[in-house]
Amino acid sequence: MQKVILLLLACFLSLSLSAQRSVQMDTIKEGIKWAAGLTHVPLKKEWTNLLDADFTHWDKFIGVPHTSVSLPDDVPKSDDVRKGTPLGLNNDPLGVFTMIKEGGADVLKINGQIYGGLTSKQEYENYHLKLEFRWGEKKWEPRLERQRDNGLLYHCTGPHGGFWNVWMSSLELQIQERDMGDLFLLAGPSAWVRTTSEADSKFPTFRPDGDRTKAGRDGGKGRIIRSSNEEMAHGEWNTIELYTFGDRAVHLVNGKVVNAIDDAYLLVNGKEVPLVRGKIQLQSEAADAFFRRVRIKSIDKIPAEILKQAGF
């Protein structure tokens, strides 16, 4: 009954809003559904393909367009895309996220013109996620002169727009040129990582035999650098894998463990709440990019060899 009441409340509020407030309401509704546990479903032990032409498993959340983007004058834009009014949920007029065919297979094309997140409709926990990724050619403002950037966000919680007015509170397996596999902690999460400090870097680097180091909002660094650069040459496909079990997670790039976390948590009313599940987001971040063979399956544990490589 409580879930029914929450859904009715969300529908009523949505109908009572003006068009100018619809974006804000989308985030409120998502937060209500998350709090009520309505988006968490069990996974199968066999691979589930998450890509299809109809985006069956996904919603699109589109952020604030940069002033350089060609859109009608009445569409809010900003020189600082971290501020302003996002286009919102499933409002993608420029086709930031589209599905194309390559060799008979479904391939997600991200044109990168506007920051955004392709967001799983469901939450997941205790899983092995495997996908393939490659860069395109185009770049856009506000990163026109910077390295190409993208990311796999996981354990995403709360409303859309929690970080930079577009992405959710989450852990990030970074997909950025020369930084593939870095860990970022966005808008709330904290965790423990085995690291060592590099003399030429302001951020610690993951080392399986390193010192246990706190990362994230609760008094730790917001970024942990991957242990080695395993990225393929520009334009070639990379295999990205993510293992999560309980409050642990391990990042793999092209078969190599490059980062791992332990004891992930959120601070809620001053108490540490283990962060063990959430939605998945694939980013649009001002760079042309492609994903294919995005698959997920349930696991009973992280394989022993992976744990060993991660230093657990």
Side-chain angles (χ1 to χ4, degrees):
M1 178 60 71
Q2 182 183 16
K3 293 180 178 179
V4 173
I5 293 172
L6 286 169
L7 283 176
L8 289 174
L9 175 61
C11 292
F12 172 78
L13 289 172
S14 180
L15 290 172
S16 66
L17 285 174
S18 65
Q20 289 77 14
R21 297 180 60 199
S22 61
V23 171
Q24 289 88 340
M25 191 56 220
D26 285 333
T27 63
I28 292 172
K29 288 191 290 184
E30 288 301 309
I32 290 173
K33 288 193 291 184
W34 173 79
L38 302 182
T39 56
H40 180 221
V41 294
L43 271 174
K44 298 178 181 178
K45 292 187 179 297
E46 301 80 26
W47 287 111
T48 295
N49 176 34
L50 294 181
L51 290 185
D52 60 54
D54 297 322
F55 290 94
T56 302
H57 298 280
W58 305 93
D59 286 315
K60 306 173 185 180
F61 189 86
I62 308 299
V64 181
H66 190 267
T67 50
S68 62
V69 174
S70 296
L71 283 169
D73 292 340
D74 60 346
V75 176
K77 306 180 189 72
S78 177
D79 285 325
D80 184 350
V81 297
R82 298 170 298 178
K83 302 176 182 178
T85 303
L87 294 184
L89 199 61
N90 295 318
N91 180 19
D92 187 10
L94 295 183
V96 170
F97 299 104
T98 58
M99 207 70 71
I100 63 174
K101 288 285 188 180
E102 280 189 4
D106 290 314
V107 175
L108 171 65
K109 179 180 180 180
I110 301 175
N111 70 32
Q113 283 183 279
I114 309 173
Y115 282 12
L118 187 68
T119 309
S120 66
K121 293 181 179 179
Q122 306 297 342
E123 295 181 340
Y124 302 103
E125 68 177 312
N126 297 338
Y127 61 83
H128 179 194
L129 177 68
K130 189 172 185 177
L131 58 84
E132 295 179 15
F133 173 90
R134 71 173 173 86
W135 296 112
E137 298 303 321
K138 292 182 179 179
K139 295 192 291 184
W140 309 89
E141 294 289 5
R143 297 187 59 88
L144 190 60
E145 304 301 326
R146 301 176 65 184
Q147 64 206 97
R148 291 176 177 84
D149 198 2
N150 203 289
L152 162 62
L153 311 186
Y154 61 99
H155 290 357
C156 303
T157 59
H160 291 283
F163 184 79
W164 282 11
N165 211 17
V166 56
W167 299 299
M168 302 171 76
S169 171
S170 58
L171 303 168
E172 178 178 7
L173 191 165
Q174 172 72 299
I175 303 176
Q176 179 173 267
E177 287 179 311
R178 302 180 298 280
D179 296 320
M180 198 171 284
D182 282 10
L183 168 69
F184 280 79
L185 302 97
L186 310 184
S190 297
W192 290 88
V193 189
R194 290 168 172 81
T195 72
T196 183
S197 295
E198 302 291 341
D200 60 347
S201 176
K202 66 179 181 179
F203 296 108
T205 298
F206 169 72
R207 292 284 185 268
D209 58 351
D211 297 326
R212 186 170 159 85
T213 305
K214 182 177 285 190
R217 176 167 288 185
D218 186 22
K221 295 287 188 179
R223 176 185 183 182
I224 305 296
I225 296 173
R226 78 284 182 274
S227 57
S228 59
N229 184 0
E230 303 297 329
E231 184 175 354
M232 303 294 284
H234 179 82
E236 295 184 17
W237 287 102
N238 296 272
T239 298
I240 306 295
E241 295 178 79
L242 171 67
Y243 285 91
T244 78
F245 192 82
D247 53 12
R248 282 181 170 173
V250 183
H251 300 181
L252 286 83
V253 177
N254 293 316
K256 173 76 172 181
V257 171
V258 296
N259 230 319
I261 67 168
D262 204 9
D263 298 328
Y265 66 91
L266 291 169
L267 276 182
V268 180
N269 295 325
K271 295 182 179 180
E272 295 183 10
V273 177
L275 181 58
V276 300
R277 65 180 173 92
K279 293 188 176 185
I280 295 165
Q281 291 191 300
L282 305 178
Q283 287 185 309
S284 168
E285 197 168 355
D288 208 10
F290 300 85
F291 286 88
R292 72 179 183 186
R293 297 174 183 166
V294 180
R295 298 174 295 161
I296 193 170
K297 67 178 179 180
S298 174
I299 59 174
D300 295 323
K301 61 182 178 180
I302 298 175
E305 180 57 31
I306 301 299
L307 290 176
K308 182 179 179 181
Q309 292 180 44
F312 293 141

